[in-house]
């Protein structure tokens, strides 16, 4: 289905043609002066240069050809040569009908070619608790995954755990310090290892920072940690068994945290999963002549002629032969290509990894690990800051655990709900859980990913302004009007695959709402192409505003003209559907009541 802008442009292009000018001049844009008109065309200005005519003359000639147009209500030539365009209400109503008539219920979204997409997000590392820095990877990644799915693509979300490097050796070394008698450390032990892990999640979370601290001060300790890493990677039985315990305990805790965020992965793969593929990959890279030795390390050059910034080579093996983060990422690309043949891979990390991913992507392409026509996208996101503009911290200056951050917002939301009305505790808890998640996620997603933003609890939990709760209030408001309509004997129209009874707008607020509603397919498609959920936030904020203006001005249920009333109800149903679909793509839901 064509976008409304394309349809209007088609009319204006035909008019340019009829008046004897290049039809391409008839491209229309949304008006940047909504007080004057709805759409505008600046083609006469460009045409003036080509045809050596005054732009105002061209604009007037084109406007003349647009009289009695089925789409355009008014095309007004204004100096020095713009066309100010207003569209017909009947055209708008027809357009909305066509949207709801789409059989797949997707309101005009088209998926010409079904793709396979992998979203690599979450960024969790084993044995380390999630902190506020992990929020964005999880929240933005989850949304990108859902948008891709809604677009009809086969989409796989992978957490890609950091579960292999020195961090694991550190944890094992510290465990050995504390419990040297465990069978895992006894090389002559041949029996079965215990099923129970010899530590709890709380201990595990304390072990990593302790070990990491010690290794920075004590060379000997660090050496032991490196040896432990090597033993683990070389497959020493006791070390693998202990590692498996660390994985199980840590993963169970990570799952619980991601559940609380309504974030769900299809794959719980990690760096360790590609360990065995590395030797073959290195062989392939060497034999292909892609590598060279630099200071003892094996590298692939990825610099290009056009670079005007520093572009160091991509390191494949360190001088001691050990693999690195790069190596596992390249092997993962190779593995994914083989298993899933993805058309697109999207990675989410902090923007400090921008250069890193550029090196890895270039290396993968240059060496043929992936075809050049496949999309590799890295979304490098900005920092979550506190109100002081510095990275968000706990009150005493420590790293903020994600779990506590969520709890904090939830408590705040709960208090607000209890303040506002008389409601029992359980209901208030259930509602606050849903709304606080929306507050956090929308607060994050409404910012363009690459920008830093301020995590402002008061603002995010407010029911006014560009916030999650505001969107939810709007949804709940629509639901309650529709419920009343039904309880008064009304019948809701079916908008899945049916041309609904939209009517010609009878007020400016109604027309604005209808115009907003037409943008759904274009917005979602754009959000997919650009891997940019903030576009969906901007869309639903505009839509919610348009709806609320309509609601404040128009008496919906007391309208006596039956046809008009049905038209209003159709608008409510469509608005509800668009808002609900969009928040689902953002990764949160709405409560029945608020
Ligand atoms: N665990 C990594 C980190 O903490 C992020 C992983 C991102 N994904 C990837 N394929 N490299 O930085």
């Amino acid at each position: 289905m064509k976008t409304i802008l394309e349809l209007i442009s088609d009319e204006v292009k035909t008019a340019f043609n009829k008046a004897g000018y290049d039809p391409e001049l008839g491209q229309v844009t949304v008006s940047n002066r909504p007080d004057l008109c709805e759409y505008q065309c600046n083609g006469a200005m460009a045409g003036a240069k080509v045809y050596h005519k005054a732009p105002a003359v061209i604009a007037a000639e084109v406007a003349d050809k647009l009289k009695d147009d089925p789409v355009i209500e008014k095309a007004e030539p204004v100096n020095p040569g713009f066309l100010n365009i207003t569209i017909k209400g009947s055209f708008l109503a027809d357009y909305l009908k066509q949207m709801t008539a789409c059989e797949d219920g997707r309101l005009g979204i088209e998926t010409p070619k079904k793709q396979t997409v992998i979203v690599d997000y979450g960024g969790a590392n084993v044995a380390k608790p999630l902190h506020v820095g992990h929020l964005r990877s999880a929240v933005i990644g989850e949304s990108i995954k859902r948008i891709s799915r809604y677009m009809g693509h086969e989409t796989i979300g992978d957490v890609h755990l950091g579960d292999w490097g020195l961090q694991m050796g550190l944890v094992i070394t510290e465990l050995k310090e504390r419990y040297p008698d465990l069978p895992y450390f006894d090389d002559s032990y041949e029996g079965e290892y215990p099923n129970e892990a010899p530590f709890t999640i709380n201990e595990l979370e304390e072990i990593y920072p302790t070990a990491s601290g010690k290794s920075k001060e004590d060379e000997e300790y660090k050496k032991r940690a490196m040896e432990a890493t090597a033993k683990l990677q070389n497959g020493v039985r006791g070390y693998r068994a202990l590692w498996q315990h660390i994985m199980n305990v840590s993963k169970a805790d990570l799952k619980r945290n991601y559940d609380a965020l309504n974030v769900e992965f299809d794959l719980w793969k990690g760096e360790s999963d590609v360990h065995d593929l590395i030797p073959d990959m290195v062989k392939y890279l060497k034999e292909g002549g892609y590598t060279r030795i630099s200071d003892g390390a094996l590298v692939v050059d990825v610099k290009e002629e056009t670079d005007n910034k520093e572009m160091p080579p991509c390191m494949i093996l360190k001088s001691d032969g050990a693999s690195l983060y790069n190596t596992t990422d390249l092997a993962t690309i190779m593995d994914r290509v083989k298993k899933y043949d993805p058309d697109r891979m999207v990675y989410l990390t902090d923007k400090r990894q921008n250069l890193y991913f550029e090196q890895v992507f270039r290396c993968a392409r240059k060496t043929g690990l992936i075809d050049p026509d496949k999309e590799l996208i890295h979304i490098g996101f900005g920092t979550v800051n506190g109100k002081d503009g510095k990275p968000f911290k706990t009150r005493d200056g420590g790293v903020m655990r994600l779990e506590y951050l969520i709890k904090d917002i939830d408590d705040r939301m709960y208090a607000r709900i209890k303040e506002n009305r008389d409601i029992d505790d359980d209901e208030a808890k259930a509602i606050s859980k849903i709304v606080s998640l929306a507050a956090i996620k929308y607060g994050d997603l409404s910012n363009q990913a690459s920008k830093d933003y301020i995590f402002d609890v008061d603002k995010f939990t407010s029911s006014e302004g560009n916030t999650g709760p505001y969107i939810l209030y709007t949804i709940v408001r629509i639901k309650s009007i529709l419920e009343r309509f039904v309880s008064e004997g009304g019948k809701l129209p079916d908008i899945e695959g049916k041309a609904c009874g939209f009517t010609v707008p009878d007020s400016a607020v109604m027309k604005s709402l209808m115009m907003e509603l037409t943008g759904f397919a274009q917005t979602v498609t754009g959000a997919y192409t650009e891997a940019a959920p903030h576009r969906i936030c901007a869309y639903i904020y505009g839509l919610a505003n348009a709806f609320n203006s309509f609601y404040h001005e128009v008496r919906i249920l007391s309208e006596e003209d039956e046809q008009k009333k049905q038209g209003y109800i159709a608008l409510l149903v469509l608005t509800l559907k668009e808002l609900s679909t969009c928040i689902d793509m953002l990764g949160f839901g709405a409560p029945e009541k608020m």
Side-chain angles (χ1 to χ4, degrees):
M1 190 174 163
K2 283 194 174 180
T3 65
I4 198 147
L5 215 50
E6 284 166 342
L7 292 173
I8 303 166
S9 296
D10 283 351
E11 299 301 309
V12 181
K13 283 178 181 172
T14 308
F16 265 90
N17 201 21
K18 277 191 198 155
Y21 302 107
D22 179 1
E24 284 316 305
L25 294 169
Q27 186 58 48
V28 168
T29 55
V30 174
S31 163
N32 54 19
R33 287 288 305 273
D35 51 325
L36 296 179
C37 59
E38 294 156 357
Y39 299 90
Q40 67 186 55
C41 173
N42 306 341
M45 312 291 284
K49 295 189 192 95
V50 184
Y51 297 100
H52 306 293
K53 262 192 188 174
V57 172
I58 300 180
E61 286 172 4
V62 173
D64 197 51
K65 303 283 180 220
L66 284 167
K67 284 189 182 135
D68 309 316
D69 187 89
V71 170
I72 290 167
E73 172 83 36
K74 200 168 82 184
E76 195 187 0
V78 289
N79 276 333
F82 301 118
L83 270 177
N84 284 356
I85 297 168
T86 313
I87 58 170
K88 284 207 161 112
S90 54
F91 163 68
L92 254 182
D94 282 344
Y95 190 84
L96 295 183
K97 280 183 195 165
Q98 275 186 47
M99 279 171 63
T100 61
C102 290
E103 289 201 347
D104 59 5
R106 295 196 306 165
L107 307 173
I109 287 183
E110 280 164 18
T111 308
K113 190 180 161 283
K114 188 172 166 159
Q115 299 194 314
T116 300
V117 177
I118 295 179
V119 187
D120 179 314
Y121 69 111
N125 295 309
V126 165
K128 292 190 214 169
L130 295 175
H131 57 79
V132 60
H134 291 105
L135 178 72
R136 304 205 74 187
S137 182
V139 169
I140 304 171
E142 178 70 19
S143 178
I144 290 178
K145 181 188 80 182
R146 287 166 178 241
I147 293 167
S148 169
R149 257 185 209 155
Y150 191 81
M151 285 298 294
H153 301 304
E154 178 73 40
T155 310
I156 304 159
D158 182 8
V159 65
H160 196 78
L161 285 179
D163 62 359
W164 205 228
L166 182 62
Q167 72 204 50
M168 304 308 291
L170 284 166
V171 173
I172 292 175
T173 303
E174 185 57 25
L175 282 168
K176 192 172 175 183
E177 290 283 289
R178 295 183 190 186
Y179 314 111
D181 297 334
L182 285 174
Y184 308 97
F185 304 116
D186 176 0
D187 288 341
S188 62
Y189 184 78
E190 281 177 1
E192 292 271 316
Y193 292 110
N195 288 328
E196 276 293 299
F199 45 77
T200 62
I201 182 68
N202 290 337
E203 189 178 7
L204 193 57
E205 286 178 351
E206 168 265 314
I207 284 180
Y208 176 74
T210 307
S212 166
K214 281 190 188 173
S215 79
K216 280 178 193 131
E217 274 158 20
D218 181 349
E219 267 305 308
E220 190 54 34
Y221 189 94
K222 183 164 181 197
K223 223 178 109 203
R224 268 182 291 158
M226 279 161 71
E227 278 161 18
T229 312
K231 274 174 111 170
L232 168 69
Q233 299 192 341
N234 293 336
V236 171
R237 195 174 151 258
Y239 280 58
R240 285 283 171 111
L242 193 54
W243 174 81
Q244 197 57 57
H245 282 310
I246 303 173
M247 290 293 282
N248 294 347
V249 170
S250 185
K251 267 201 225 172
D253 187 60
L254 288 171
K255 280 208 171 111
R256 189 178 55 79
N257 274 278
Y258 284 126
D259 275 352
L261 273 176
N262 207 1
V263 166
E264 203 186 334
F265 300 99
D266 306 290
L267 299 177
W268 280 79
K269 296 237 175 220
E271 296 168 358
S272 65
D273 284 285
V274 294
H275 176 73
D276 293 341
L277 305 179
I278 290 174
D280 274 350
M281 181 183 78
V282 171
K283 190 162 163 252
Y284 164 84
L285 296 178
K286 278 185 180 163
E287 283 175 2
Y290 299 113
T291 56
R292 68 179 171 88
I293 304 287
S294 162
D295 289 336
L298 189 72
V299 302
V300 172
D301 287 311
V302 291
K303 201 171 160 44
E304 285 164 13
E305 295 257 323
T306 47
D307 284 335
N308 42 27
K309 63 176 176 207
E310 190 77 26
M311 183 56 66
C314 187
M315 200 189 284
I316 310 293
L317 293 177
K318 286 199 266 191
S319 52
D320 63 1
S323 57
L324 317 84
Y325 186 42
N326 307 32
T327 330
T328 50
D329 259 324
L330 287 165
T332 303
I333 291 178
M334 188 178 82
D335 190 38
R336 286 176 180 161
V337 167
K338 189 163 153 230
K339 288 204 176 96
Y340 308 103
D341 189 23
D343 301 286
R344 167 184 255 210
M345 278 197 257
V346 189
Y347 295 75
L348 286 115
T349 74
D350 188 302
K351 65 183 169 196
R352 280 171 295 187
Q353 294 190 28
N354 281 357
L355 175 65
Y356 166 77
F357 275 102
E358 195 162 355
Q359 289 173 294
V360 169
F361 291 170
R362 283 188 185 193
C363 181
R365 290 219 163 91
K366 172 176 175 179
T367 60
L369 289 176
I370 191 164
D371 283 344
D373 62 329
K374 309 293 185 192
E375 263 185 297
L376 292 168
I377 303 173
H378 173 239
I379 307 285
F381 49 78
T383 314
V384 180
N385 288 329
K387 275 190 177 168
D388 57 0
K390 298 203 186 99
F392 202 91
K393 289 269 157 59
T394 56
R395 266 180 218 114
D396 55 15
V399 177
M400 183 60 138
R401 278 178 72 150
L402 191 51
E403 217 178 329
Y404 301 154
L405 182 84
I406 297 173
K407 177 147 187 347
D408 197 36
I409 288 239
D410 200 12
D411 290 347
R412 209 71 91 82
M413 207 63 236
Y414 177 77
R416 260 183 201 244
I417 293 172
K418 288 294 271 186
E419 244 167 57
N420 286 346
R421 64 191 174 98
D422 195 21
I423 176 172
D424 77 59
D425 292 357
D426 284 348
E427 199 190 345
K429 276 205 183 101
I431 295 176
S432 82
K433 204 169 162 223
I434 300 174
V435 183
S436 58
L437 190 63
I440 297 176
K441 288 196 165 187
Y442 191 93
D444 188 311
L445 292 167
S446 54
N447 295 284
Q448 195 178 330
S450 60
K451 303 238 162 77
D452 299 346
Y453 74 86
I454 291 180
F455 197 93
D456 184 337
V457 182
D458 292 322
K459 185 177 148 208
F460 287 6
T461 53
S462 164
S463 55
E464 278 157 41
N466 190 9
T467 69
Y470 171 68
I471 304 292
L472 297 191
Y473 264 106
T474 309
I475 290 178
V476 168
R477 171 172 281 162
I478 300 175
K479 280 190 190 168
S480 102
I481 302 171
L482 292 176
E483 250 169 51
R484 197 138 37 95
F485 171 71
V486 170
S487 74
E488 289 168 1
K491 193 175 167 321
L492 292 180
D494 178 8
I495 61 163
E496 304 266 300
K498 297 256 160 49
C500 248
F502 296 103
T503 48
V504 174
D506 51 44
S507 61
V509 283
M510 181 170 174
K511 194 172 186 190
S512 303
L513 174 59
M514 291 171 81
M515 290 202 335
E516 286 290 335
L517 284 164
T518 62
F520 179 79
Q522 201 185 359
T523 302
V524 177
T525 309
Y528 170 74
T529 312
E530 292 166 25
H534 75 275
R535 293 199 41 178
I536 292 188
C537 294
Y539 178 68
I540 58 176
Y541 181 51
L543 180 56
N545 282 337
F547 172 77
N548 286 313
S549 306
F550 173 77
Y551 165 80
H552 288 300
E553 246 182 61
V554 178
R555 300 175 62 98
I556 302 167
L557 293 181
S558 54
E559 173 57 53
E560 281 174 5
D561 181 327
E562 231 358 85
Q563 205 190 344
K564 269 192 179 182
K565 186 166 164 181
Q566 280 300 334
Y568 297 162
I569 294 295
L571 284 183
L572 263 63
V573 174
L574 180 57
T575 307
L576 178 62
K577 173 167 168 148
E578 288 196 8
L579 290 176
S580 310
T581 309
C582 285
I583 64 167
D584 189 54
M585 280 187 255
L586 297 175
F588 57 88
E592 288 307 311
K593 288 205 177 75
M594 258 171 98

